[in-house]
Amino acid sequence: MNIYEHIIHRSKPKSFAVLVDPDNYDEKKLTQLVINAMECKVDMIFVGGSLLTDDHLDVSISLIKSLTNIPVILFPGSILQINGKADALLLLSLISGRNADMLIGKHVVAAPYLKSSKLEILPTGYMLIESGPITTAQYVSNTIPIPREKDGIAVCTAMAGEMLGLKLIYMDAGSGAQNPVPASMIRKVRENIGIPLVVGGGIRNAEQASAAVKAGADVVVVGNAIEKDLSCMKEIADAVHYSG
Ligand code: 1GP
């Protein structure tokens, strides 16, 4: 079973993904993270960032792969973050924005590299949701996020993404967001699409993770909170796995 089939067939429990920004982990910290991830039954490790400034991506993926069988999925902030040592790649089309490069341009450049890699490609409708102060993802992508009270825009955007043939919808408040994606918006999007829904950005505790799952998230992604305090991984993982 490939990673997408695994997500599709797994209605319960929901999946928990930890996001690793390679700039923020050294070898010791990343090793500890992976050990904890195995103990907490983390389902996927996302690797990437809107803006990587150190050249740690390759070495980080190699280290994770040497320690665990948890699938490693690239969450690329740019085409520089393609790496064949990972298992899969979220091919993100930034459908909440109107930046042609992020919708299709970068994908054209990346296509031949992706085709010759063994990466499983996960075509993903990526939606940035307003979350407070401007996030790095919003700034770097040069796009306006969907206003957090405009559920209708989010629903229509996700529906269009599904109709275009995208296989996942990822609603992201942005890494380190002040506020996570509102539960009401997650619920309305969930009610109107049939493909799996990934939700992340600004989720810092079990309560927020549980709210996302109860609203309909199939995959919950947490990066910053775990980066800051590894000890919160267990309760967030349990909230995702047991709230559905
Ligand atoms: C960001 O959804 C991810 O793209 C995770 O966000 O780092 O805020 O948990 P955090």
Side-chain angles (χ1 to χ4, degrees), residues 18-41:
V18 170
L19 173 64
V20 171
D21 179 334
D23 280 359
N24 299 333
Y25 283 89
D26 59 18
E27 186 179 342
K28 186 173 167 214
K29 188 173 173 188
L30 186 54
T31 301
Q32 198 55 56
L33 176 98
V34 173
I35 292 168
N36 272 50
M38 289 188 285
E39 285 169 6
C40 297
K41 302 196 181 341

mmCIF file with all atom_site columns, all heavy atoms in Angstrom, residues 18-41:
data_model
loop_
_atom_site.group_PDB
_atom_site.id
_atom_site.type_symbol
_atom_site.label_atom_id
_atom_site.label_alt_id
_atom_site.label_comp_id
_atom_site.label_asym_id
_atom_site.label_entity_id
_atom_site.label_seq_id
_atom_site.pdbx_PDB_ins_code
_atom_site.Cartn_x
_atom_site.Cartn_y
_atom_site.Cartn_z
_atom_site.occupancy
_atom_site.B_iso_or_equiv
_atom_site.pdbx_formal_charge
_atom_site.auth_seq_id
_atom_site.auth_comp_id
_atom_site.auth_asym_id
_atom_site.auth_atom_id
_atom_site.pdbx_PDB_model_num
ATOM 1   N N   . VAL A 1 18 ? 4.390  14.924 12.053 1.00 0.00 ? 18 VAL A N   1
ATOM 2   C CA  . VAL A 1 18 ? 5.292  15.901 12.676 1.00 0.00 ? 18 VAL A CA  1
ATOM 3   C C   . VAL A 1 18 ? 6.092  16.576 11.568 1.00 0.00 ? 18 VAL A C   1
ATOM 4   O O   . VAL A 1 18 ? 6.613  15.907 10.679 1.00 0.00 ? 18 VAL A O   1
ATOM 5   C CB  . VAL A 1 18 ? 6.234  15.196 13.680 1.00 0.00 ? 18 VAL A CB  1
ATOM 6   C CG1 . VAL A 1 18 ? 7.329  16.147 14.146 1.00 0.00 ? 18 VAL A CG1 1
ATOM 7   C CG2 . VAL A 1 18 ? 5.453  14.692 14.878 1.00 0.00 ? 18 VAL A CG2 1
ATOM 8   N N   . LEU A 1 19 ? 6.129  17.913 11.609 1.00 0.00 ? 19 LEU A N   1
ATOM 9   C CA  . LEU A 1 19 ? 6.892  18.661 10.618 1.00 0.00 ? 19 LEU A CA  1
ATOM 10  C C   . LEU A 1 19 ? 8.280  18.985 11.154 1.00 0.00 ? 19 LEU A C   1
ATOM 11  O O   . LEU A 1 19 ? 8.421  19.584 12.230 1.00 0.00 ? 19 LEU A O   1
ATOM 12  C CB  . LEU A 1 19 ? 6.166  19.970 10.267 1.00 0.00 ? 19 LEU A CB  1
ATOM 13  C CG  . LEU A 1 19 ? 6.956  20.931 9.366  1.00 0.00 ? 19 LEU A CG  1
ATOM 14  C CD1 . LEU A 1 19 ? 7.222  20.334 7.990  1.00 0.00 ? 19 LEU A CD1 1
ATOM 15  C CD2 . LEU A 1 19 ? 6.220  22.263 9.224  1.00 0.00 ? 19 LEU A CD2 1
ATOM 16  N N   . VAL A 1 20 ? 9.283  18.591 10.393 1.00 0.00 ? 20 VAL A N   1
ATOM 17  C CA  . VAL A 1 20 ? 10.677 18.902 10.735 1.00 0.00 ? 20 VAL A CA  1
ATOM 18  C C   . VAL A 1 20 ? 11.192 19.980 9.794  1.00 0.00 ? 20 VAL A C   1
ATOM 19  O O   . VAL A 1 20 ? 11.225 19.773 8.573  1.00 0.00 ? 20 VAL A O   1
ATOM 20  C CB  . VAL A 1 20 ? 11.568 17.641 10.615 1.00 0.00 ? 20 VAL A CB  1
ATOM 21  C CG1 . VAL A 1 20 ? 13.040 18.015 10.758 1.00 0.00 ? 20 VAL A CG1 1
ATOM 22  C CG2 . VAL A 1 20 ? 11.169 16.602 11.649 1.00 0.00 ? 20 VAL A CG2 1
ATOM 23  N N   . ASP A 1 21 ? 11.535 21.127 10.361 1.00 0.00 ? 21 ASP A N   1
ATOM 24  C CA  . ASP A 1 21 ? 12.231 22.164 9.596  1.00 0.00 ? 21 ASP A CA  1
ATOM 25  C C   . ASP A 1 21 ? 13.719 21.911 9.836  1.00 0.00 ? 21 ASP A C   1
ATOM 26  O O   . ASP A 1 21 ? 14.208 22.123 10.952 1.00 0.00 ? 21 ASP A O   1
ATOM 27  C CB  . ASP A 1 21 ? 11.814 23.545 10.112 1.00 0.00 ? 21 ASP A CB  1
ATOM 28  C CG  . ASP A 1 21 ? 12.525 24.673 9.380  1.00 0.00 ? 21 ASP A CG  1
ATOM 29  O OD1 . ASP A 1 21 ? 13.631 24.448 8.854  1.00 0.00 ? 21 ASP A OD1 1
ATOM 30  O OD2 . ASP A 1 21 ? 11.982 25.782 9.349  1.00 0.00 ? 21 ASP A OD2 1
ATOM 31  N N   . PRO A 1 22 ? 14.448 21.430 8.831  1.00 0.00 ? 22 PRO A N   1
ATOM 32  C CA  . PRO A 1 22 ? 15.833 20.984 9.070  1.00 0.00 ? 22 PRO A CA  1
ATOM 33  C C   . PRO A 1 22 ? 16.738 22.066 9.646  1.00 0.00 ? 22 PRO A C   1
ATOM 34  O O   . PRO A 1 22 ? 17.722 21.749 10.316 1.00 0.00 ? 22 PRO A O   1
ATOM 35  C CB  . PRO A 1 22 ? 16.327 20.552 7.683  1.00 0.00 ? 22 PRO A CB  1
ATOM 36  C CG  . PRO A 1 22 ? 15.099 20.296 6.895  1.00 0.00 ? 22 PRO A CG  1
ATOM 37  C CD  . PRO A 1 22 ? 14.051 21.223 7.437  1.00 0.00 ? 22 PRO A CD  1
ATOM 38  N N   . ASP A 1 23 ? 16.388 23.338 9.418  1.00 0.00 ? 23 ASP A N   1
ATOM 39  C CA  . ASP A 1 23 ? 17.204 24.421 9.972  1.00 0.00 ? 23 ASP A CA  1
ATOM 40  C C   . ASP A 1 23 ? 17.191 24.421 11.497 1.00 0.00 ? 23 ASP A C   1
ATOM 41  O O   . ASP A 1 23 ? 18.095 24.969 12.136 1.00 0.00 ? 23 ASP A O   1
ATOM 42  C CB  . ASP A 1 23 ? 16.662 25.785 9.520  1.00 0.00 ? 23 ASP A CB  1
ATOM 43  C CG  . ASP A 1 23 ? 17.102 26.136 8.111  1.00 0.00 ? 23 ASP A CG  1
ATOM 44  O OD1 . ASP A 1 23 ? 17.826 25.334 7.500  1.00 0.00 ? 23 ASP A OD1 1
ATOM 45  O OD2 . ASP A 1 23 ? 16.709 27.216 7.634  1.00 0.00 ? 23 ASP A OD2 1
ATOM 46  N N   . ASN A 1 24 ? 16.144 23.841 12.058 1.00 0.00 ? 24 ASN A N   1
ATOM 47  C CA  . ASN A 1 24 ? 15.954 23.963 13.509 1.00 0.00 ? 24 ASN A CA  1
ATOM 48  C C   . ASN A 1 24 ? 16.306 22.700 14.294 1.00 0.00 ? 24 ASN A C   1
ATOM 49  O O   . ASN A 1 24 ? 15.958 22.587 15.473 1.00 0.00 ? 24 ASN A O   1
ATOM 50  C CB  . ASN A 1 24 ? 14.504 24.371 13.800 1.00 0.00 ? 24 ASN A CB  1
ATOM 51  C CG  . ASN A 1 24 ? 14.182 25.715 13.176 1.00 0.00 ? 24 ASN A CG  1
ATOM 52  O OD1 . ASN A 1 24 ? 15.080 26.534 12.993 1.00 0.00 ? 24 ASN A OD1 1
ATOM 53  N ND2 . ASN A 1 24 ? 12.939 25.944 12.831 1.00 0.00 ? 24 ASN A ND2 1
ATOM 54  N N   . TYR A 1 25 ? 16.949 21.740 13.622 1.00 0.00 ? 25 TYR A N   1
ATOM 55  C CA  . TYR A 1 25 ? 17.323 20.496 14.317 1.00 0.00 ? 25 TYR A CA  1
ATOM 56  C C   . TYR A 1 25 ? 18.780 20.175 14.062 1.00 0.00 ? 25 TYR A C   1
ATOM 57  O O   . TYR A 1 25 ? 19.231 20.163 12.910 1.00 0.00 ? 25 TYR A O   1
ATOM 58  C CB  . TYR A 1 25 ? 16.475 19.324 13.801 1.00 0.00 ? 25 TYR A CB  1
ATOM 59  C CG  . TYR A 1 25 ? 15.061 19.317 14.352 1.00 0.00 ? 25 TYR A CG  1
ATOM 60  C CD1 . TYR A 1 25 ? 14.044 19.994 13.700 1.00 0.00 ? 25 TYR A CD1 1
ATOM 61  C CD2 . TYR A 1 25 ? 14.761 18.634 15.530 1.00 0.00 ? 25 TYR A CD2 1
ATOM 62  C CE1 . TYR A 1 25 ? 12.750 20.002 14.203 1.00 0.00 ? 25 TYR A CE1 1
ATOM 63  C CE2 . TYR A 1 25 ? 13.464 18.634 16.048 1.00 0.00 ? 25 TYR A CE2 1
ATOM 64  C CZ  . TYR A 1 25 ? 12.469 19.314 15.372 1.00 0.00 ? 25 TYR A CZ  1
ATOM 65  O OH  . TYR A 1 25 ? 11.190 19.317 15.884 1.00 0.00 ? 25 TYR A OH  1
ATOM 66  N N   . ASP A 1 26 ? 19.525 19.873 15.120 1.00 0.00 ? 26 ASP A N   1
ATOM 67  C CA  . ASP A 1 26 ? 20.849 19.286 14.930 1.00 0.00 ? 26 ASP A CA  1
ATOM 68  C C   . ASP A 1 26 ? 20.704 17.763 15.083 1.00 0.00 ? 26 ASP A C   1
ATOM 69  O O   . ASP A 1 26 ? 19.599 17.256 15.327 1.00 0.00 ? 26 ASP A O   1
ATOM 70  C CB  . ASP A 1 26 ? 21.877 19.877 15.907 1.00 0.00 ? 26 ASP A CB  1
ATOM 71  C CG  . ASP A 1 26 ? 21.491 19.656 17.360 1.00 0.00 ? 26 ASP A CG  1
ATOM 72  O OD1 . ASP A 1 26 ? 20.634 18.774 17.639 1.00 0.00 ? 26 ASP A OD1 1
ATOM 73  O OD2 . ASP A 1 26 ? 22.037 20.350 18.233 1.00 0.00 ? 26 ASP A OD2 1
ATOM 74  N N   . GLU A 1 27 ? 21.799 17.057 14.956 1.00 0.00 ? 27 GLU A N   1
ATOM 75  C CA  . GLU A 1 27 ? 21.739 15.592 14.939 1.00 0.00 ? 27 GLU A CA  1
ATOM 76  C C   . GLU A 1 27 ? 21.123 15.031 16.224 1.00 0.00 ? 27 GLU A C   1
ATOM 77  O O   . GLU A 1 27 ? 20.269 14.152 16.188 1.00 0.00 ? 27 GLU A O   1
ATOM 78  C CB  . GLU A 1 27 ? 23.155 15.037 14.733 1.00 0.00 ? 27 GLU A CB  1
ATOM 79  C CG  . GLU A 1 27 ? 23.163 13.539 14.568 1.00 0.00 ? 27 GLU A CG  1
ATOM 80  C CD  . GLU A 1 27 ? 24.569 12.981 14.343 1.00 0.00 ? 27 GLU A CD  1
ATOM 81  O OE1 . GLU A 1 27 ? 25.478 13.760 13.987 1.00 0.00 ? 27 GLU A OE1 1
ATOM 82  O OE2 . GLU A 1 27 ? 24.747 11.770 14.537 1.00 0.00 ? 27 GLU A OE2 1
ATOM 83  N N   . LYS A 1 28 ? 21.551 15.582 17.346 1.00 0.00 ? 28 LYS A N   1
ATOM 84  C CA  . LYS A 1 28 ? 21.066 15.068 18.632 1.00 0.00 ? 28 LYS A CA  1
ATOM 85  C C   . LYS A 1 28 ? 19.564 15.322 18.802 1.00 0.00 ? 28 LYS A C   1
ATOM 86  O O   . LYS A 1 28 ? 18.794 14.433 19.175 1.00 0.00 ? 28 LYS A O   1
ATOM 87  C CB  . LYS A 1 28 ? 21.863 15.764 19.759 1.00 0.00 ? 28 LYS A CB  1
ATOM 88  C CG  . LYS A 1 28 ? 21.568 15.229 21.123 1.00 0.00 ? 28 LYS A CG  1
ATOM 89  C CD  . LYS A 1 28 ? 22.512 15.852 22.155 1.00 0.00 ? 28 LYS A CD  1
ATOM 90  C CE  . LYS A 1 28 ? 21.986 15.552 23.546 1.00 0.00 ? 28 LYS A CE  1
ATOM 91  N NZ  . LYS A 1 28 ? 22.248 16.620 24.480 1.00 0.00 ? 28 LYS A NZ  1
ATOM 92  N N   . LYS A 1 29 ? 19.156 16.526 18.472 1.00 0.00 ? 29 LYS A N   1
ATOM 93  C CA  . LYS A 1 29 ? 17.744 16.899 18.646 1.00 0.00 ? 29 LYS A CA  1
ATOM 94  C C   . LYS A 1 29 ? 16.853 16.093 17.692 1.00 0.00 ? 29 LYS A C   1
ATOM 95  O O   . LYS A 1 29 ? 15.767 15.649 18.053 1.00 0.00 ? 29 LYS A O   1
ATOM 96  C CB  . LYS A 1 29 ? 17.586 18.412 18.404 1.00 0.00 ? 29 LYS A CB  1
ATOM 97  C CG  . LYS A 1 29 ? 16.216 18.950 18.733 1.00 0.00 ? 29 LYS A CG  1
ATOM 98  C CD  . LYS A 1 29 ? 16.187 20.482 18.636 1.00 0.00 ? 29 LYS A CD  1
ATOM 99  C CE  . LYS A 1 29 ? 14.750 20.982 18.797 1.00 0.00 ? 29 LYS A CE  1
ATOM 100 N NZ  . LYS A 1 29 ? 14.605 22.410 18.545 1.00 0.00 ? 29 LYS A NZ  1
ATOM 101 N N   . LEU A 1 30 ? 17.348 15.890 16.471 1.00 0.00 ? 30 LEU A N   1
ATOM 102 C CA  . LEU A 1 30 ? 16.547 15.149 15.488 1.00 0.00 ? 30 LEU A CA  1
ATOM 103 C C   . LEU A 1 30 ? 16.458 13.670 15.877 1.00 0.00 ? 30 LEU A C   1
ATOM 104 O O   . LEU A 1 30 ? 15.400 13.042 15.735 1.00 0.00 ? 30 LEU A O   1
ATOM 105 C CB  . LEU A 1 30 ? 17.156 15.315 14.088 1.00 0.00 ? 30 LEU A CB  1
ATOM 106 C CG  . LEU A 1 30 ? 16.357 14.732 12.927 1.00 0.00 ? 30 LEU A CG  1
ATOM 107 C CD1 . LEU A 1 30 ? 14.919 15.260 12.900 1.00 0.00 ? 30 LEU A CD1 1
ATOM 108 C CD2 . LEU A 1 30 ? 17.036 15.057 11.585 1.00 0.00 ? 30 LEU A CD2 1
ATOM 109 N N   . THR A 1 31 ? 17.549 13.130 16.389 1.00 0.00 ? 31 THR A N   1
ATOM 110 C CA  . THR A 1 31 ? 17.530 11.727 16.837 1.00 0.00 ? 31 THR A CA  1
ATOM 111 C C   . THR A 1 31 ? 16.504 11.543 17.952 1.00 0.00 ? 31 THR A C   1
ATOM 112 O O   . THR A 1 31 ? 15.701 10.605 17.935 1.00 0.00 ? 31 THR A O   1
ATOM 113 C CB  . THR A 1 31 ? 18.937 11.313 17.342 1.00 0.00 ? 31 THR A CB  1
ATOM 114 O OG1 . THR A 1 31 ? 19.864 11.493 16.279 1.00 0.00 ? 31 THR A OG1 1
ATOM 115 C CG2 . THR A 1 31 ? 18.955 9.861  17.811 1.00 0.00 ? 31 THR A CG2 1
ATOM 116 N N   . GLN A 1 32 ? 16.502 12.471 18.899 1.00 0.00 ? 32 GLN A N   1
ATOM 117 C CA  . GLN A 1 32 ? 15.540 12.393 19.999 1.00 0.00 ? 32 GLN A CA  1
ATOM 118 C C   . GLN A 1 32 ? 14.108 12.517 19.490 1.00 0.00 ? 32 GLN A C   1
ATOM 119 O O   . GLN A 1 32 ? 13.205 11.807 19.935 1.00 0.00 ? 32 GLN A O   1
ATOM 120 C CB  . GLN A 1 32 ? 15.854 13.516 21.012 1.00 0.00 ? 32 GLN A CB  1
ATOM 121 C CG  . GLN A 1 32 ? 15.237 13.304 22.374 1.00 0.00 ? 32 GLN A CG  1
ATOM 122 C CD  . GLN A 1 32 ? 15.604 11.957 22.995 1.00 0.00 ? 32 GLN A CD  1
ATOM 123 O OE1 . GLN A 1 32 ? 16.778 11.651 23.143 1.00 0.00 ? 32 GLN A OE1 1
ATOM 124 N NE2 . GLN A 1 32 ? 14.599 11.143 23.301 1.00 0.00 ? 32 GLN A NE2 1
ATOM 125 N N   . LEU A 1 33 ? 13.929 13.395 18.517 1.00 0.00 ? 33 LEU A N   1
ATOM 126 C CA  . LEU A 1 33 ? 12.582 13.566 17.939 1.00 0.00 ? 33 LEU A CA  1
ATOM 127 C C   . LEU A 1 33 ? 12.088 12.266 17.321 1.00 0.00 ? 33 LEU A C   1
ATOM 128 O O   . LEU A 1 33 ? 10.946 11.842 17.537 1.00 0.00 ? 33 LEU A O   1
ATOM 129 C CB  . LEU A 1 33 ? 12.595 14.657 16.858 1.00 0.00 ? 33 LEU A CB  1
ATOM 130 C CG  . LEU A 1 33 ? 11.249 14.810 16.158 1.00 0.00 ? 33 LEU A CG  1
ATOM 131 C CD1 . LEU A 1 33 ? 10.454 15.965 16.745 1.00 0.00 ? 33 LEU A CD1 1
ATOM 132 C CD2 . LEU A 1 33 ? 11.393 15.000 14.667 1.00 0.00 ? 33 LEU A CD2 1
ATOM 133 N N   . VAL A 1 34 ? 12.967 11.602 16.571 1.00 0.00 ? 34 VAL A N   1
ATOM 134 C CA  . VAL A 1 34 ? 12.562 10.374 15.878 1.00 0.00 ? 34 VAL A CA  1
ATOM 135 C C   . VAL A 1 34 ? 12.262 9.266  16.890 1.00 0.00 ? 34 VAL A C   1
ATOM 136 O O   . VAL A 1 34 ? 11.279 8.523  16.741 1.00 0.00 ? 34 VAL A O   1
ATOM 137 C CB  . VAL A 1 34 ? 13.642 9.940  14.860 1.00 0.00 ? 34 VAL A CB  1
ATOM 138 C CG1 . VAL A 1 34 ? 13.303 8.588  14.260 1.00 0.00 ? 34 VAL A CG1 1
ATOM 139 C CG2 . VAL A 1 34 ? 13.783 10.989 13.758 1.00 0.00 ? 34 VAL A CG2 1
ATOM 140 N N   . ILE A 1 35 ? 13.077 9.171  17.926 1.00 0.00 ? 35 ILE A N   1
ATOM 141 C CA  . ILE A 1 35 ? 12.818 8.157  18.972 1.00 0.00 ? 35 ILE A CA  1
ATOM 142 C C   . ILE A 1 35 ? 11.441 8.406  19.600 1.00 0.00 ? 35 ILE A C   1
ATOM 143 O O   . ILE A 1 35 ? 10.623 7.494  19.737 1.00 0.00 ? 35 ILE A O   1
ATOM 144 C CB  . ILE A 1 35 ? 13.942 8.186  20.036 1.00 0.00 ? 35 ILE A CB  1
ATOM 145 C CG1 . ILE A 1 35 ? 15.245 7.686  19.423 1.00 0.00 ? 35 ILE A CG1 1
ATOM 146 C CG2 . ILE A 1 35 ? 13.555 7.354  21.260 1.00 0.00 ? 35 ILE A CG2 1
ATOM 147 C CD1 . ILE A 1 35 ? 16.483 7.938  20.270 1.00 0.00 ? 35 ILE A CD1 1
ATOM 148 N N   . ASN A 1 36 ? 11.179 9.663  19.929 1.00 0.00 ? 36 ASN A N   1
ATOM 149 C CA  . ASN A 1 36 ? 9.864  10.000 20.498 1.00 0.00 ? 36 ASN A CA  1
ATOM 150 C C   . ASN A 1 36 ? 8.736  9.719  19.512 1.00 0.00 ? 36 ASN A C   1
ATOM 151 O O   . ASN A 1 36 ? 7.664  9.249  19.898 1.00 0.00 ? 36 ASN A O   1
ATOM 152 C CB  . ASN A 1 36 ? 9.816  11.484 20.873 1.00 0.00 ? 36 ASN A CB  1
ATOM 153 C CG  . ASN A 1 36 ? 10.318 11.731 22.268 1.00 0.00 ? 36 ASN A CG  1
ATOM 154 O OD1 . ASN A 1 36 ? 11.391 11.263 22.609 1.00 0.00 ? 36 ASN A OD1 1
ATOM 155 N ND2 . ASN A 1 36 ? 9.557  12.455 23.069 1.00 0.00 ? 36 ASN A ND2 1
ATOM 156 N N   . ALA A 1 37 ? 8.989  10.026 18.243 1.00 0.00 ? 37 ALA A N   1
ATOM 157 C CA  . ALA A 1 37 ? 7.948  9.826  17.215 1.00 0.00 ? 37 ALA A CA  1
ATOM 158 C C   . ALA A 1 37 ? 7.565  8.353  17.129 1.00 0.00 ? 37 ALA A C   1
ATOM 159 O O   . ALA A 1 37 ? 6.386  8.021  16.970 1.00 0.00 ? 37 ALA A O   1
ATOM 160 C CB  . ALA A 1 37 ? 8.449  10.344 15.869 1.00 0.00 ? 37 ALA A CB  1
ATOM 161 N N   . MET A 1 38 ? 8.541  7.478  17.261 1.00 0.00 ? 38 MET A N   1
ATOM 162 C CA  . MET A 1 38 ? 8.231  6.039  17.214 1.00 0.00 ? 38 MET A CA  1
ATOM 163 C C   . MET A 1 38 ? 7.419  5.641  18.453 1.00 0.00 ? 38 MET A C   1
ATOM 164 O O   . MET A 1 38 ? 6.450  4.903  18.347 1.00 0.00 ? 38 MET A O   1
ATOM 165 C CB  . MET A 1 38 ? 9.517  5.228  17.086 1.00 0.00 ? 38 MET A CB  1
ATOM 166 C CG  . MET A 1 38 ? 10.138 5.390  15.699 1.00 0.00 ? 38 MET A CG  1
ATOM 167 S SD  . MET A 1 38 ? 11.534 4.290  15.403 1.00 0.00 ? 38 MET A SD  1
ATOM 168 C CE  . MET A 1 38 ? 12.812 5.061  16.349 1.00 0.00 ? 38 MET A CE  1
ATOM 169 N N   . GLU A 1 39 ? 7.817  6.164  19.593 1.00 0.00 ? 39 GLU A N   1
ATOM 170 C CA  . GLU A 1 39 ? 7.087  5.845  20.837 1.00 0.00 ? 39 GLU A CA  1
ATOM 171 C C   . GLU A 1 39 ? 5.645  6.342  20.779 1.00 0.00 ? 39 GLU A C   1
ATOM 172 O O   . GLU A 1 39 ? 4.735  5.698  21.298 1.00 0.00 ? 39 GLU A O   1
ATOM 173 C CB  . GLU A 1 39 ? 7.796  6.487  22.039 1.00 0.00 ? 39 GLU A CB  1
ATOM 174 C CG  . GLU A 1 39 ? 9.078  5.757  22.435 1.00 0.00 ? 39 GLU A CG  1
ATOM 175 C CD  . GLU A 1 39 ? 9.912  6.552  23.437 1.00 0.00 ? 39 GLU A CD  1
ATOM 176 O OE1 . GLU A 1 39 ? 9.454  7.606  23.919 1.00 0.00 ? 39 GLU A OE1 1
ATOM 177 O OE2 . GLU A 1 39 ? 11.040 6.130  23.712 1.00 0.00 ? 39 GLU A OE2 1
ATOM 178 N N   . CYS A 1 40 ? 5.458  7.496  20.138 1.00 0.00 ? 40 CYS A N   1
ATOM 179 C CA  . CYS A 1 40 ? 4.115  8.117  20.088 1.00 0.00 ? 40 CYS A CA  1
ATOM 180 C C   . CYS A 1 40 ? 3.311  7.654  18.880 1.00 0.00 ? 40 CYS A C   1
ATOM 181 O O   . CYS A 1 40 ? 2.219  8.169  18.635 1.00 0.00 ? 40 CYS A O   1
ATOM 182 C CB  . CYS A 1 40 ? 4.240  9.632  20.049 1.00 0.00 ? 40 CYS A CB  1
ATOM 183 S SG  . CYS A 1 40 ? 5.006  10.337 21.504 1.00 0.00 ? 40 CYS A SG  1
ATOM 184 N N   . LYS A 1 41 ? 3.864  6.725  18.106 1.00 0.00 ? 41 LYS A N   1
ATOM 185 C CA  . LYS A 1 41 ? 3.194  6.207  16.908 1.00 0.00 ? 41 LYS A CA  1
ATOM 186 C C   . LYS A 1 41 ? 2.829  7.314  15.902 1.00 0.00 ? 41 LYS A C   1
ATOM 187 O O   . LYS A 1 41 ? 1.716  7.344  15.351 1.00 0.00 ? 41 LYS A O   1
ATOM 188 C CB  . LYS A 1 41 ? 1.955  5.402  17.286 1.00 0.00 ? 41 LYS A CB  1
ATOM 189 C CG  . LYS A 1 41 ? 2.254  4.228  18.209 1.00 0.00 ? 41 LYS A CG  1
ATOM 190 C CD  . LYS A 1 41 ? 1.112  3.245  18.243 1.00 0.00 ? 41 LYS A CD  1
ATOM 191 C CE  . LYS A 1 41 ? 1.298  2.060  19.158 1.00 0.00 ? 41 LYS A CE  1
ATOM 192 N NZ  . LYS A 1 41 ? 2.630  1.722  19.589 1.00 0.00 ? 41 LYS A NZ  1
#
